[in-house]
Amino acid sequence: MVPSSSSLSSPIVYALTLFVSLSFLLLFAPQILPLGKHRQVPISAQDELDDLHLFREAITAASSRGGSSKVSHLGTINPKPKIAFLFLTNSDLVFAPLWERFFESNDGLFNVYIHADPSTKLNPLQWSIKANFIASRRTARASPTLISAARRLLANAIIDDPFNLYFALVSQHCIPLHSFKYVYTSLLGNPSSATKAFLTPRSHQSYIEILSDAPYLHNRYVARGDGMMVPEIPYDEFRVGSQFFVLAKRHALLVLKERKLWKKFKLPCLDLESCYPEEHYFPTLLSMEDPKGSSHYTLTRVNWTDSVDGHPHTYHSLEISPELIHTLRESNSSYSYFFARKFSPDCLKPLMGIAKDVIFRD
Ligand SMILES: *[C@@H]1O[C@H](CO)[C@@H](O)[C@H](O)[C@H]1NC(C)=O
Ligand SMILES: *[C@@H]1O[C@H](CO)[C@@H](O)[C@H](O)[C@H]1NC(C)=O
């Protein structure tokens, strides 16, 4: 923003702004731009304290408002349970128009929260859904900042609306593979009778991939140095899974209360090539604390064939077809996939073209 009170000062202000932006870019370019290898982003003690404060607020809010004892009271205004969609992004939300169609005419059944890395330029015109932009901090791969960002999203969603019962974490490269109604009904049942979901929160399952075996798992375990994870996390309890998940509220709260594993996962990696804390923290935690409460598979389809540098296959516009959508939905688990990643921005147009007749037709 350039606040210019008079037209005379504008050129100077612009020149200054340009100068400041350029210096900023030169100073921080290595961290902001994906140049070469992973960079470490430290979490300051103050950020850590702010997060702790936020998480406590969420836990307090949930315990003072939640619980089935409040249901009869809630029943008087006939609330519906909601799904909180948590967008974790470090670039513009190019698929916003597609998500908008996904959410269309489902008001009252969802909320949207966005954690955008502070360096992100978001185009507000693309997004007409009421979204909550939460206070965000820098995020980077190969650092625990992505875990913190996901936890901040969970905390904000819990504080904001007690009717959020499920929390779906997605990125700017994710797209929906089904209609909102399909996703909602699968998780919470028919909206007209979904109020009873408030009575059964303890039976809600989380959908998160949890694997005990994967290539290079041991390298990832010792990425912070030999013996660094014990005694909190023995190797045979260390898990891996996809970064994106759908958590039930009880597990979202578990994640916010957690301190023990975080103490280890927040440590910087020595081996940056094997450093993916966000792919281990959530699966390991849920596997240790409530293995039966999670599906162990994800609802977000990813294509790891020919992955490069830890990035999955990125779909481009020429690959988009109704057949692709149908193929991506196919799953060996109890639900077909709800979402998929990763898609490049040029996919928006062909995806919009098949939205109504293919993607949102279940
Ligand atoms: C996964 O990606 C590979 C290329 O990396 C591609 O050949 C294959 O068709 C993709 N699979 C699906 C199901 O899209
Ligand atoms: C389902 O399982 C079969 C057999 O193990 C496998 O070939 C196929 O790739 C799986 N499909 C998906 C979508 O995971």
Side-chain angles (χ1 to χ4, degrees):
M1 288 303 127
V2 180
S4 61
S5 48
S6 83
S7 54
L8 258 182
S9 66
S10 296
I12 300 168
V13 174
Y14 278 119
L16 261 177
T17 309
L18 193 66
F19 175 73
V20 169
S21 318
L22 280 176
S23 334
F24 181 83
L25 203 65
L26 285 176
L27 203 59
F28 293 101
Q31 286 94 341
I32 293 172
L33 305 171
L35 294 177
K37 285 303 157 192
H38 308 142
R39 304 274 164 175
Q40 295 272 288
V41 174
I43 297 175
S44 74
Q46 188 57 52
D47 288 358
E48 179 81 10
L49 275 177
D50 290 348
D51 279 354
L52 270 177
H53 183 81
L54 176 71
F55 301 165
R56 264 194 220 115
E57 194 185 328
I59 294 159
T60 308
S63 57
S64 63
R65 296 184 304 210
S68 48
S69 60
K70 294 281 169 67
V71 168
S72 55
H73 166 66
L74 295 176
T76 60
I77 51 168
N78 193 28
K80 298 271 188 284
K82 296 175 192 173
I83 303 173
F85 285 82
L86 315 177
F87 285 84
L88 181 54
T89 185
N90 59 1
S91 66
D92 198 11
L93 293 163
V94 289
F95 296 119
L98 184 63
W99 284 104
E100 213 176 304
R101 295 276 291 277
F102 172 80
F103 290 125
E104 209 168 67
S105 37
N106 288 292
D107 277 352
L109 300 178
F110 70 92
N111 283 301
V112 172
Y113 304 87
I114 301 175
H115 185 293
D117 184 281
S119 67
T120 313
K121 297 238 180 325
L122 288 167
N123 177 358
L125 298 177
Q126 279 187 347
W127 194 256
S128 67
I129 300 154
K130 184 183 150 276
N132 304 276
F133 284 85
I134 72 159
S136 66
R137 282 195 237 290
R138 284 202 45 211
T139 51
R141 289 183 84 204
S143 84
T145 52
L146 287 168
I147 300 174
S148 302
R151 294 172 100 195
R152 279 197 284 278
L153 278 163
L154 291 169
N156 275 280
I158 287 173
I159 294 166
D160 178 60
D161 192 336
F163 301 147
N164 287 328
L165 291 197
Y166 266 107
F167 303 81
L169 184 70
V170 288
S171 83
Q172 75 272 34
H173 304 293
C174 292
I175 63 157
L177 292 176
H178 277 287
S179 70
F180 179 89
K181 201 151 271 137
Y182 179 94
V183 169
Y184 186 94
T185 312
S186 303
L187 293 174
L188 288 160
N190 195 309
S192 62
S193 58
T195 311
K196 74 171 186 295
F198 289 118
L199 293 163
T200 56
R202 298 222 62 82
S203 68
H204 294 169
Q205 218 191 12
S206 286
Y207 300 88
I208 177 169
E209 188 175 43
I210 301 177
L211 306 171
S212 54
D213 193 21
Y216 309 111
L217 190 65
H218 195 263
N219 294 13
R220 285 161 168 239
Y221 181 67
V222 296
R224 290 158 200 83
D226 257 335
M228 287 302 283
M229 302 305 265
V230 284
E232 289 84 356
I233 311 152
Y235 181 60
D236 64 4
E237 300 202 35
F238 187 63
R239 297 288 182 270
V240 62
S242 70
Q243 190 195 340
F244 300 97
F245 49 66
V246 177
L247 290 192
K249 185 168 185 174
R250 64 196 170 115
H251 291 143
L253 285 165
L254 180 77
V255 164
L256 297 181
K257 286 176 185 158
E258 201 297 303
R259 302 274 176 276
K260 199 172 70 175
L261 273 61
W262 172 243
K263 201 170 90 190
K264 291 299 165 80
F265 277 102
K266 75 176 180 186
L267 297 173
C269 291
L270 306 176
D271 172 8
L272 295 189
E273 301 298 321
S274 304
C275 193
Y276 298 91
E278 71 281 5
E279 292 183 2
H280 297 281
Y281 175 74
F282 299 99
T284 302
L285 174 61
L286 286 171
S287 158
M288 286 172 92
E289 297 295 328
D290 190 11
K292 292 209 177 77
S294 298
S295 62
H296 293 232
Y297 60 84
T298 175
L299 296 172
T300 303
R301 178 75 175 256
V302 196
N303 181 351
W304 286 109
T305 313
D306 305 328
S307 73
V308 181
D309 190 25
H311 290 286
H313 175 69
T314 300
Y315 291 96
H316 287 277
S317 58
L318 291 177
E319 291 173 272
I320 304 301
S321 66
E323 293 70 40
L324 179 70
I325 300 299
H326 291 139
T327 306
L328 292 179
R329 284 175 177 173
E330 280 168 21
S331 146
N332 287 328
S333 314
S334 45
Y335 289 129
S336 81
Y337 286 103
F338 289 2
F339 317 113
R341 63 188 271 263
K342 261 173 113 153
F343 290 80
S344 71
D346 61 321
C347 295
L348 178 64
K349 208 167 164 232
L351 285 171
M352 291 300 281
I354 58 170
K356 181 164 168 281
D357 293 334
V358 180
I359 301 177
F360 301 139
R361 176 164 296 166
D362 304 305

